[in-house]
Amino acid sequence: MSSDNDLRPQDRESLRLAQTMLAPLGLPLVTVVEEYLQCRRKLGEVPLLTAVDDFAARSRSYEPGVIVPRVVEELLQLKRQDRINAHYLKLLEGNCVSLAARFLGRSAR
């Protein structure tokens, strides 16, 4: 509260509150503000929380370390359920089984 401090009382309180909220993350306020501004520039008019919600919804089914043969089998199963053209299914199966054999045991990233 010294006279050489140019912060208004409400600004000091906002700063203290922001620092308290960031303390569990161990991040300085300036780092958070810089990252937020970078995100807003990239997102344009899309609010950051909207983009995060969208990303979270799409990535829920992500499983790290899923092997390629499993991905191929899931794809073929879905295509069979979709009752795609038999000729196309046979062609797809041939290509996918060949792909899976090349990546046997490797993760799909």
Side-chain angles (χ1 to χ4, degrees):
M1 302 286 183
S2 68
S3 61
D4 63 341
N5 187 337
D6 60 350
L7 289 177
R8 297 176 303 183
Q10 61 266 31
D11 293 334
R12 270 194 305 278
E13 185 56 34
S14 292
L15 177 61
R16 271 186 246 160
L17 182 58
Q19 289 171 328
T20 300
M21 291 188 297
L22 291 172
L25 301 175
L27 296 171
L29 180 59
V30 69
T31 300
V32 174
V33 171
E34 286 173 345
E35 186 174 307
Y36 175 81
L37 292 173
Q38 288 174 9
C39 291
R40 285 308 304 250
R41 283 185 201 109
K42 288 182 180 184
L43 291 169
E45 296 297 316
V46 178
L48 180 58
L49 190 54
T50 300
V52 170
D53 288 342
D54 180 60
F55 172 80
R58 286 185 290 114
S59 65
R60 281 194 183 103
S61 63
Y62 171 74
E63 294 179 47
V66 176
I67 59 172
V68 175
R70 179 173 161 202
V71 173
V72 165
E73 184 51 42
E74 288 178 15
L75 170 71
L76 294 174
Q77 183 179 359
L78 289 171
K79 293 300 180 184
R80 287 183 199 109
Q81 289 173 0
D82 289 345
R83 298 178 187 262
I84 65 170
N85 177 287
H87 176 72
Y88 174 67
L89 180 60
K90 187 170 181 145
L91 182 65
L92 186 63
E93 284 175 339
N95 289 333
C96 286
V97 168
S98 174
L99 174 74
R102 288 188 192 141
F103 290 93
L104 189 62
R106 294 189 198 169
S107 294
R109 294 183 187 142

